[in-house]
Amino acid sequence: MTQEKYNIKECEKKWRARWDEAKCFEVTEDPSKEKYYVLAMLPYPSGRIHVGHVRNYTLSDVVARYKKAQGFNVLNPMGWDALGLPAENAAMERGTHPADWTYSNIEEMKRQLKAMGLAIDWSREVASCDPEYYKHEQKMFLDFYEKGLAYRKESVVNWDPVDNTVLANEQVVDGKGWRTGAPVERRTLSQWFLKITHYADDLLEALKDLPRWPEKVRIMQENWIGKSQGLQFKWDVIPQNGTRISNRSEAEAGNAEIEVFTTRPDTLFGASFIALAPDHPMAKKLAEGKDGFNEFLKQCQSVGTSEEAIAQAEKIGFDTGYKATHPLLPGQEFPIYIANFILMDYGTGAIFGVPGHDQRDFDFAKKYGLPIKEVISSGNSSIENEAYTGPGKLVNSQWLDGREIEDAKAEVIKRCENIGNGFGTTQYRLRDWGISRQRYWGCPIPMVHCDKCGVVPVPEDQLPIELPMDINYDEPGNPLARHPTWKNTKCPKCGEKATRETDTCDTFFESNWYFLRYLDPCNEQRGFDKDKAAYWMPVDQYIGGIEHAVLHLLYARFCTRALADCGWLDVKEPFTGLFTQGMVTHETYQDEKGHWVTPAEYEALKDKSKIKVGPTIKMSKSKKNVIDPEDILGTYGADAARLFILSDSPPERDLQWTESGIEGAWKYINKLHRMIMEQKDNLPAPGAPNPSKFSENASKLRSATHKAIAGVAKSIESFAMNKAVAQIRELSNAIQSFKPADDADRWVQREAFETLIKLFGPMMPHLAEELWAALGHKTLLAQSPWPEVDESLLANDTVTIGVQVNGKMRAQITLAPDAAEDTAREAALAQDNVQKAMDGKEIRKFIYVPGKIVNVVAN
RNA sequence: GCGGCUGUGGUGAAAUUGGUAGACACGCCAGAUUUAGGUUCUGGUGCUUUCGGGCGUGGGGGUUCAAGUCCCUCCAGCCGCACCA
């Protein structure tokens, strides 16, 4: 028998055109409706969409369409994170202009995304490389500068020698550039910084108010911010000749004190040495010219660059010969070392070593023969072989003896404060965000350098500072800096000749606020209107990859706070809900020679026996285990791709892309189409009155239908899309096995069909529209509400429960859900298997949980 | 080293507050349709068995009438951070 086949390509195209005509997904602020802001992380326009994009945007689309059906005013926008290095690399390789490359990529990717049938308000599309976009970013920077949230300082920076630019701390992974993988070098440069540390505590504390964020991401941010509380105080340096450093030699030495930070002030009496970071300013002063110092410094630098290598490296130190004292430890002198395990970046770059209770100090003390004192004891703890860091009470500590650790900490801080040397303080691991990049394809930093006036901000009315279009990549380095005229300008203050800042912003700046630009994308005067932000913000559901757990998500949280402080909006926490999707993985294939083979090549092979099938791993170009979404959309259509992505694997977990999986989805789509097309002409008209009397089978189907409504809604809301798909398939199975006998049955069949269509609408929107129309509806399903649940149909008349004897399942009985215990007992004991298992033994206990279980305890 | 997550059939996975483990699929087996393959439809499919049963959620132990779920302990894999004082 020939079937009327579902013409996927034409139907999908048709419905996308209909949605466009009806402007289905274009929204405006509507105070009468509750808003819902769905945000998917915006793509970088690399040229082609990849399967990760398809997963991301399918998820956001299901949420958007579902919430819209629920009656929310849903904003679901899309844009392009369009500044960045790949454009420049492409420009160098192909001789095109980064702008041309970027805009043609955007066009291509937009076409691909549109083929997915996403419920996006494209009228709000933004591209961050548009001067109309970065103009507002420049204004933002000026406001930050005004508020002291942007500043310039000379600092040691991470230099990526391949990309020829600076990297933020967050962009250095294992001592290597996050993009290039090249070992980063240390350079001293004058750089622009954003004062993210100003918000360190708020960024940390507010994580507690983000219950709809994954725990994992909150922990990662918490660790990144790295708050620790302790005492900062000073030790006096004694010169080698035994007398205190005089004022004159103090001036020579620069300082006669060493300031340290500790989280364990309680262990003060366990101190046995002072240690400075090799790049500590005092280190040079105390050790310069001494025998072996230069060799020591060299040794410090020879350690590998990876974090792990640094952490595992042997602890080495250099004895300066100087000693230090502290007023709370009268009569004691402590040697001052320079040690490779002390970081200049953290705390004060100096510590006092307590070998008994810090493993690093312990290792160091062992090596250099320094005293190891026990000052904390739990009674059975020991510092014989390793440092003791557990709980206990203070010992060998004079006026602290017997105290609890926390108590002792407070006491030492108090005494230091009393003698005017030191204070309780908080340290953060978080550093300010260095945003200067020595690249062309970024947002120009709107600053001018004037010989007379110094650094002068560009006046707002001169914005945007646009990138020049006539650039070349004939030589390495920043094309902006060597452009013949661009940087020449006049000082806004004195009118004399001046030079523009030629550094551009880190491209993470653009993604700091794009979700705000979506709210008001055509506003020329301001980045966005405050009232619009008041309506739409915060983002209700943000969806994207885990790789942005720290970088982007922390920067965006910072930026929203900074903007709030500059009066741009009143919300300071941008994303109330966050969902991080898993990766898309695929099997790997290698031929006899070990060359990687693509899945498409593998499928096309007649003889697959010579191919070695390797592990399923994240799709990567180098392993060639990549699926091109374009092929999938072309072959199976958008709905099949979307369905497959939502089926089986929970969205937070990795998704294994398989040929059989996508085929299965495609078959199901055809099955649904066939099922409804075969029956549609037998059904009553849309909106026919409820016959109110139903056969038993029809009642069962109604019950299944309404259970599915409640079940699918719950699953979607908890991001269990795989379960939602399973519930939809369960309903369609029930419908398929239902054989209508009369008009009432056919009414029920229509109800079930229509419900089914509405339930899979968010997932397979094209098919849903097609079938919705086939059932005689003139309206768009995309504009129809979610079906209502008839609660009375959710309860079962009877329920089948298990009967256990001594905890082992022996039989099943069917009862009313609220059947009395006597009824249950009678039914249970009437079962042959139950009698057999009881083997004539006496009933000691009879447990009956209505609707759940019977357990007969007999012995 | 520290922190987190995960471990359930051949595979992806389900399983309210502890209450019939394996829903829904993929694959596989058998049958029907088809010239054949594919599609489609029907049935079966945790392992094992002497067909009575027995055993099953990474291993071991515990609590309970009852444990994938709670507690203790060990193991494996993945991810993040890593000399942070």
Side-chain angles (χ1 to χ4, degrees):
Chain A
M1 192 175 93
T2 55
Q3 299 282 355
E4 193 190 331
K5 246 216 147 167
Y6 174 39
N7 188 333
I8 289 180
K9 272 190 191 173
E10 267 181 34
C11 279
E12 290 195 345
K13 221 167 148 184
K14 174 179 75 188
W15 291 111
R16 286 197 292 268
R18 292 284 299 278
W19 295 326
D20 279 351
E21 280 162 31
K23 297 189 190 304
C24 258
F25 310 116
E26 291 187 19
V27 285
T28 52
E29 300 74 43
D30 179 354
S32 70
K33 274 170 128 185
E34 200 176 335
K35 67 94 185 179
Y36 196 90
Y37 189 173
V38 187
L39 181 70
M41 287 183 184
L42 87 175
Y44 178 82
S46 57
R48 312 276 298 168
I49 62 169
H50 55 71
V51 186
H53 290 130
V54 179
R55 194 178 198 193
N56 196 163
Y57 304 139
T58 297
L59 287 169
S60 52
D61 206 53
V62 170
V63 174
R65 287 177 181 268
Y66 168 75
K67 285 287 175 183
K68 180 173 162 64
Q70 290 276 6
F72 288 89
N73 192 25
V74 173
L75 175 59
N76 181 29
M78 184 59 72
W80 308 96
D81 185 20
L83 289 168
L85 267 168
E88 289 194 76
N89 292 336
M92 278 180 253
E93 278 164 32
R94 303 165 206 210
T96 57
H97 192 281
D100 296 337
W101 184 83
T102 302
Y103 280 109
S104 76
N105 284 350
I106 287 175
E107 198 179 330
E108 170 69 2
M109 287 177 75
K110 186 176 174 182
R111 182 188 63 75
Q112 292 187 303
L113 283 188
K114 284 211 156 189
M116 283 181 65
L118 302 173
I120 282 171
D121 181 353
W122 284 103
S123 74
R124 292 170 181 266
E125 179 184 4
V126 302
S128 63
C129 60
D130 185 346
E132 272 305 308
Y133 182 91
Y134 66 66
K135 168 171 123 184
H136 305 290
E137 198 166 302
Q138 291 173 338
K139 166 70 172 134
M140 228 173 256
F141 185 89
L142 294 175
D143 281 9
F144 290 176
Y145 181 73
E146 184 82 5
K147 272 252 164 196
L149 293 170
Y151 65 96
R152 189 175 151 91
K153 76 166 181 198
E154 178 133 313
S155 67
V156 180
V157 296
N158 308 299
W159 182 263
D160 187 317
V162 172
D163 278 347
N164 280 313
T165 190
V166 161
L167 298 175
N169 292 326
E170 288 83 354
Q171 292 165 331
V172 179
V173 180
D174 287 338
K176 292 171 185 144
W178 70 300
R179 268 180 31 79
T180 62
V184 298
E185 297 166 6
R186 315 270 292 163
R187 287 197 184 183
T188 305
L189 287 174
S190 247
Q191 296 284 293
W192 287 99
F193 286 85
L194 295 184
K195 207 164 184 179
I196 189 168
T197 55
H198 177 70
Y199 298 96
D201 208 50
D202 189 36
L203 287 167
L204 180 70
E205 288 302 312
L207 288 170
K208 297 189 178 86
D209 303 323
L210 293 172
R212 289 178 53 237
W213 275 44
E215 178 82 20
K216 183 188 169 77
V217 176
R218 287 193 310 231
I219 290 170
M220 281 166 75
Q221 293 211 353
E222 217 175 285
N223 291 339
W224 192 265
I225 295 167
K227 179 179 182 173
S228 47
Q229 276 162 320
L231 168 69
Q232 192 167 320
F233 65 126
K234 288 170 184 165
W235 297 68
D236 297 317
V237 180
I238 303 169
Q240 276 166 311
N241 62 18
T243 56
R244 279 188 59 86
I245 294 173
S246 69
N247 281 340
R248 206 175 123 251
S249 57
E250 229 179 74
E252 279 166 14
N255 202 333
E257 292 168 327
I258 291 171
E259 189 159 35
V260 304
F261 172 74
T262 181
T263 56
R264 295 296 303 270
D266 54 310
T267 61
L268 182 65
F269 287 94
S272 74
F273 62 95
I274 301 289
L276 303 174
D279 44 350
H280 193 286
M282 281 290 277
K284 213 175 171 185
K285 284 165 186 155
L286 297 179
E288 189 135 67
K290 298 211 170 176
D291 282 351
F293 181 56
N294 285 335
E295 286 70 28
F296 169 76
L297 285 183
K298 251 181 219 161
Q299 224 180 321
C300 288
Q301 282 159 2
S302 69
V303 179
T305 48
S306 87
E307 304 282 6
E308 202 191 343
I310 292 165
Q312 316 261 306
E314 198 190 350
K315 293 176 178 42
I316 53 171
F318 180 83
D319 187 351
T320 63
Y322 282 90
K323 297 217 182 329
T325 60
H326 192 268
L328 292 179
L329 302 169
Q332 291 189 63
E333 295 186 355
F334 302 90
I336 303 172
Y337 278 81
I338 298 162
N340 66 338
F341 67 99
I342 309 302
L343 307 172
M344 194 55 222
D345 283 350
Y346 188 78
T348 60
I351 61 141
F352 71 96
V354 183
H357 305 284
D358 181 292
Q359 192 56 41
R360 293 157 301 173
D361 298 349
F362 185 90
D363 296 342
F364 193 78
K366 279 272 176 205
K367 179 157 179 183
Y368 292 101
L370 298 161
I372 301 172
K373 291 188 248 176
E374 183 178 43
V375 290
I376 307 283
S377 175
S378 70
N380 56 8
S381 58
S382 153
I383 55 165
E384 193 66 26
N385 301 313
E386 56 179 10
Y388 175 69
T389 55
K393 288 188 175 172
L394 273 286
V395 295
N396 304 322
S397 297
Q398 301 180 22
W399 37 270
L400 288 174
D401 280 350
R403 295 214 190 210
E404 298 290 340
I405 290 174
E406 287 310 310
D407 193 22
K409 281 182 183 173
E411 179 64 26
V412 173
I413 291 171
K414 201 175 97 192
R415 291 210 184 200
C416 280
E417 285 173 350
N418 283 347
I419 60 167
N421 176 5
F423 49 93
T425 184
T426 305
Q427 284 287 338
Y428 297 92
R429 183 185 174 281
L430 184 70
R431 306 282 82 161
D432 278 340
W433 176 19
I435 57 154
S436 293
R437 296 291 179 274
Q438 294 67 41
R439 304 301 318 182
Y440 163 75
W441 195 232
C443 169
I445 296 172
M447 288 287 165
V448 169
H449 300 276
C450 170
D451 285 342
K452 216 159 93 192
C453 310
V455 177
V456 181
V458 173
E460 195 186 330
D461 59 19
Q462 288 177 27
L463 299 182
I465 304 301
E466 279 194 58
L467 291 167
M469 293 308 278
D470 55 331
I471 46 133
N472 67 70
Y473 286 97
D474 300 343
E475 40 191 310
N478 181 0
L480 203 53
R482 62 165 185 271
H483 187 279
T485 56
W486 183 80
K487 62 175 173 259
N488 301 330
T489 186
K490 281 183 183 157
C491 173
K493 222 176 192 175
C494 68
E496 295 295 310
K497 274 189 181 175
T499 317
R500 288 193 189 288
E501 172 67 64
T502 58
D503 282 355
T504 52
C505 282
D506 183 357
T507 52
F508 273 95
F509 202 133
E510 283 76 62
S511 50
N512 264 342
W513 71 288
Y514 72 103
F515 47 90
L516 293 165
R517 186 61 180 169
Y518 283 148
L519 309 181
D520 201 6
C522 301
N523 193 332
E524 290 178 24
Q525 304 307 313
R526 280 174 288 179
F528 53 90
D529 182 83
K530 202 171 176 178
D531 290 340
K532 291 184 177 178
Y535 179 78
W536 290 112
M537 286 297 286
V539 171
D540 296 278
Q541 185 63 62
Y542 198 15
I543 305 171
I546 187 74
E547 65 273 22
H548 293 111
V550 175
L551 289 153
H552 160 60
L553 287 166
L554 192 61
Y555 292 152
R557 293 182 65 220
F558 152 70
C559 187
T560 309
R561 282 166 168 75
L563 287 174
D565 280 351
C566 294
W568 290 53
L569 78 168
D570 291 323
V571 171
K572 62 171 195 170
E573 193 62 60
F575 318 121
T576 48
L578 173 69
F579 187 88
T580 53
Q581 62 188 29
M583 296 180 306
V584 184
T585 62
H586 199 286
E587 277 181 332
T588 45
Y589 308 102
Q590 275 177 295
D591 67 15
E592 289 166 300
K593 290 175 187 163
H595 295 140
W596 299 104
V597 173
T598 68
E601 288 164 355
Y602 176 77
E603 288 300 329
L605 279 179
K606 275 183 192 154
D607 179 13
K608 295 184 169 70
S609 64
K610 286 179 181 161
I611 300 290
K612 194 179 137 210
V613 177
T616 300
I617 54 170
K618 182 183 180 177
M619 286 191 188
S620 84
K621 280 181 192 163
S622 63
K623 302 282 194 298
K624 289 197 177 175
N625 61 336
V626 179
I627 295 292
D628 186 350
E630 182 101 39
D631 296 343
I632 302 299
L633 294 175
T635 310
Y636 300 100
D639 286 343
R642 295 168 60 122
L643 175 64
F644 168 57
I645 274 182
L646 298 167
S647 308
D648 296 348
S649 286
E652 69 277 11
R653 259 190 248 179
D654 286 355
L655 167 72
Q656 287 181 31
W657 190 279
T658 61
E659 190 68 17
S660 57
I662 182 72
E663 260 175 34
W666 180 79
K667 281 180 198 168
Y668 184 58
I669 282 168
N670 283 296
K671 180 176 173 166
L672 286 170
H673 185 263
R674 198 183 320 121
M675 186 168 85
I676 291 178
M677 294 314 253
E678 276 170 6
Q679 293 294 324
K680 69 178 171 80
D681 295 334
N682 305 327
L683 302 173
N690 185 335
S692 72
K693 268 194 168 177
F694 303 102
S695 64
E696 200 189 321
N697 274 340
S699 293
K700 272 189 185 162
L701 182 58
R702 288 203 80 200
S703 171
T705 301
H706 285 262
K707 276 180 188 165
I709 299 171
V712 170
K714 198 179 163 194
S715 296
I716 290 178
E717 293 199 5
S718 56
F719 263 91
M721 307 306 176
N722 54 325
K723 278 159 66 182
V725 171
Q727 286 159 320
I728 284 165
R729 294 187 90 130
E730 230 169 323
L731 177 60
S732 76
N733 287 346
I735 296 174
Q736 200 178 27
S737 53
F738 179 73
K739 301 284 175 261
D742 56 22
D743 285 347
D745 280 358
R746 279 183 277 275
W747 186 91
V748 171
Q749 198 178 25
R750 170 175 276 278
E751 182 190 38
F753 277 146
E754 292 193 350
T755 302
L756 180 69
I757 291 167
K758 285 185 169 185
L759 296 188
F760 71 67
M763 300 166 180
M764 298 173 267
H766 309 87
L767 176 71
E769 291 288 1
E770 179 71 14
L771 296 176
W772 184 244
L775 290 184
H777 292 278
K778 304 293 178 213
T779 54
L780 284 169
L781 182 76
Q783 288 171 326
S784 306
W786 190 252
E788 277 185 42
V789 184
D790 183 339
E791 302 281 343
S792 70
L793 294 171
L794 298 183
N796 294 313
D797 291 346
T798 60
V799 58
T800 301
I801 65 173
V803 180
Q804 299 178 334
V805 177
N806 292 330
K808 290 204 181 231
M809 203 56 63
R810 296 296 176 186
Q812 292 182 342
I813 54 174
T814 300
L815 303 164
D818 55 351
E821 178 159 338
D822 288 349
T823 318
R825 189 184 184 109
E826 202 179 316
L829 296 180
Q831 296 288 316
D832 287 350
N833 280 343
V834 172
Q835 287 300 329
K836 215 151 90 187
M838 283 171 64
D839 195 23
K841 287 174 190 145
E842 191 189 337
I843 298 176
R844 304 285 295 236
K845 206 169 176 184
F846 184 85
I847 289 150
Y848 169 57
V849 183
K852 304 268 184 185
I853 200 88
V854 167
N855 192 4
V856 184
V857 184
N859 60 16

